[in-house]
Amino acid sequence: SGNYRSQWRSISTPFVTGTVAMDFGILKNVISYTDIWGVGVMAMYDRSGGGALTSSYLSFSTAYHKGLDPEGNHTLAIGLQGTLVQKRIDNSKLQFENQIDNNGYNPMIPSNETLVNPKISYFDPNVGILYNGLIGEASNIYLGASYYHITQPTESFMNLTQNRLSYRWTLHGGGSVPVNGKDRFHASILYMKQSTASEFTFGGAYGFALNDMDDNPTTFYLGSWYRLNDAIIPYVGMEIKGFQVGLTYDTNISSLKPAST
């Protein structure tokens, strides 16, 4: 899978985030047929502040899904993730108060600021739990929770500043139900909280089946999500032969709307 995001382009140099990931099952002929053992790897790149701050993440994950019934229609999973984090600051792309004169920002004025550690690295462990279940013959539901920054790693570009990452926890859920025999409606909800910051997003998408092949469907998706007090997020997507591609756009409805339109 992969994802690319460009944000706040209309206000300033955009924040850019890119992600690629893959996961697969292992020991399928060793563990119970009702269980699944998965492993995965994810790489993420993030650039903000006009390139002044770049962050790179490399995550390794594993999760064991234990079947709760003889058919494996209900599973409970425990997942672990370890992330190697590296962040860099480019001092030449930063602007400081003492570089502003009567004509505005003047790069010829020295900033007199020194970053002791322009590059930092640390290890960040996370954990999660997930329930997945079949309802009736064709509907499904999932509920999960995750806990990030278990060790509260130190994240500081200055030796004298011991800034530690606050814990972050998430709750998420969703599912899908058949409609008119071959179409499906998908819905999801997500709540995240870290220190005093929080986010609540919910919505769904309708999947229009474009063929009658249950084992190899072609589906067109149309839907929208809503991030509370922030944005409406319309979504359009297409699934062909097991490959799915989608596009979203955050339509700002918050107090930042005059600056982002």
Side-chain angles (χ1 to χ4, degrees):
S1 63
N3 186 70
Y4 175 82
R5 180 180 65 185
S6 178
Q7 189 172 359
W8 302 118
R9 179 179 297 273
S10 60
I11 296 179
S12 62
T13 304
F15 291 64
V16 174
T17 306
T19 307
V20 293
M22 65 178 297
D23 62 83
F24 48 90
I26 61 174
L27 303 180
K28 297 180 181 180
N29 297 323
V30 177
I31 61 178
S32 170
Y33 74 95
T34 63
D35 298 352
I36 300 173
W37 191 354
V39 296
V41 60
M42 181 187 72
M44 186 172 74
Y45 170 83
D46 184 82
R47 186 184 67 194
S48 58
L53 174 64
T54 58
S55 306
S56 302
Y57 306 83
L58 182 61
S59 300
F60 300 92
S61 306
T62 184
Y64 195 90
H65 302 251
K66 180 64 180 177
L68 303 178
D69 62 304
E71 292 77 27
N73 293 328
H74 299 266
T75 62
L76 184 65
I78 298 291
L80 300 173
Q81 182 185 75
T83 301
L84 301 174
V85 182
Q86 184 180 89
K87 297 193 173 187
R88 296 173 180 264
I89 282 282
D90 186 346
N91 204 30
S92 66
K93 295 182 179 179
L94 296 176
Q95 299 178 12
F96 295 90
E97 182 180 5
N98 59 346
Q99 294 178 292
I100 299 175
D101 57 21
N102 293 332
N103 297 316
Y105 172 67
N106 185 349
M108 301 304 295
I109 301 176
S111 68
N112 297 322
E113 299 283 348
T114 301
L115 292 175
V116 179
N117 302 309
K119 182 177 72 173
I120 59 175
S121 303
Y122 57 85
F123 178 74
D124 190 17
N126 312 301
V127 65
I129 186 171
L130 177 72
Y131 164 77
N132 201 320
L134 182 69
I135 300 177
E137 297 183 355
S139 300
N140 74 285
I141 187 175
Y142 65 88
L143 297 168
S146 303
Y147 195 58
Y148 296 82
H149 315 313
I150 297 173
T151 59
Q152 287 190 287
T154 299
E155 187 179 73
S156 174
F157 295 100
M158 305 296 293
N159 280 341
L160 299 179
T161 304
Q162 295 302 314
N163 178 62
R164 299 179 70 90
L165 277 179
S166 298
Y167 303 126
R168 176 167 68 91
W169 56 271
T170 71
L171 299 173
H172 59 98
S176 66
V177 295
V179 182
N180 297 329
K182 60 179 183 178
D183 297 343
R184 293 191 73 86
F185 178 73
H186 304 260
S188 67
I189 188 170
L190 170 68
Y191 178 78
M192 300 189 292
K193 184 172 179 60
Q194 183 175 15
S195 186
T196 59
S198 63
E199 179 178 314
F200 181 49
T201 305
F202 61 91
Y206 192 96
F208 299 87
L210 303 183
N211 63 12
D212 295 322
M213 302 173 62
D214 294 335
D215 57 342
N216 194 11
T218 298
T219 308
F220 173 72
Y221 294 97
L222 185 64
S224 181
W225 274 257
Y226 174 62
R227 189 163 54 245
L228 189 64
N229 299 323
D230 187 28
I232 296 173
I233 312 167
Y235 165 75
V236 61
M238 179 71 75
E239 180 180 1
I240 302 175
K241 295 183 178 180
F243 179 79
Q244 185 171 336
V245 61
L247 177 67
T248 64
Y249 182 82
D250 287 27
T251 306
N252 200 327
I253 60 171
S254 72
S255 59
L256 290 175
K257 183 177 179 180
S260 61
T261 54

